Amino acid sequence: VQLQASGGGSVQAGGSLGLSCEASGIIFSIISMGWYRQSPGKQRELVATITSGGSLNFADSVKGRFTISRDNAKNTVYLQMNSLEPADTAVYYCTVAVNVNRERTLTYWGLGTQVTVSS
């Protein structure tokens, strides 16, 4: 399984960035795809997820600023980040949760991509 993320980079506060992540080599059915982030000295935290049915979940801190979408045919998830703040600076990780069987799910993680927002 490979999660190939692209996007990210550096931007000034108030700016926008987009992330995308394509999952390949997955043989199980995908439950959800999404993004987590981790800043230095902090725990990894949820940013946003989207299920195969289109249900969305966002961290309170990004609601109204970030949008998440996916292309099920391409196993690709997108994160559009607007009105970025310095607090959004973090390494962003793509995740894919799959259904192995009735009792077991599995989560795959990408390597992470850096997002830096300067004030």
Side-chain angles (χ1 to χ4, degrees):
V1 173
Q2 282 193 327
L3 300 182
Q4 184 65 48
S6 60
S10 298
V11 68
Q12 288 192 325
S16 299
L17 285 173
L19 302 178
S20 66
C21 177
E22 180 180 3
S24 61
I26 293 180
I27 62 173
F28 302 111
S29 62
I30 294 176
I31 301 169
S32 66
M33 301 181 75
W35 298 89
Y36 282 69
R37 69 186 181 187
Q38 187 168 20
S39 304
K42 294 186 178 181
Q43 289 188 330
R44 192 170 296 187
E45 62 177 3
L46 167 76
V47 177
T49 59
I50 180 169
T51 68
S52 296
S55 296
L56 308 178
N57 186 29
F58 290 94
D60 288 341
S61 60
V62 307
K63 284 180 180 177
R65 301 188 297 120
F66 290 12
T67 59
I68 188 170
S69 61
R70 62 182 284 183
D71 185 332
N72 289 338
K74 296 181 179 179
N75 284 346
T76 300
V77 62
Y78 307 93
L79 184 70
Q80 179 62 37
M81 304 179 288
N82 300 324
S83 301
L84 282 160
E85 305 167 353
D88 296 316
T89 296
V91 176
Y92 284 69
Y93 296 90
C94 172
T95 70
V96 177
V98 300
N99 190 28
V100 177
N101 55 43
R102 289 184 180 179
E103 292 82 31
R104 185 183 175 200
T105 62
L106 196 61
T107 300
Y108 296 101
W109 293 84
L111 294 179
T113 185
Q114 178 70 44
V115 170
T116 302
V117 184
S118 58
S119 57

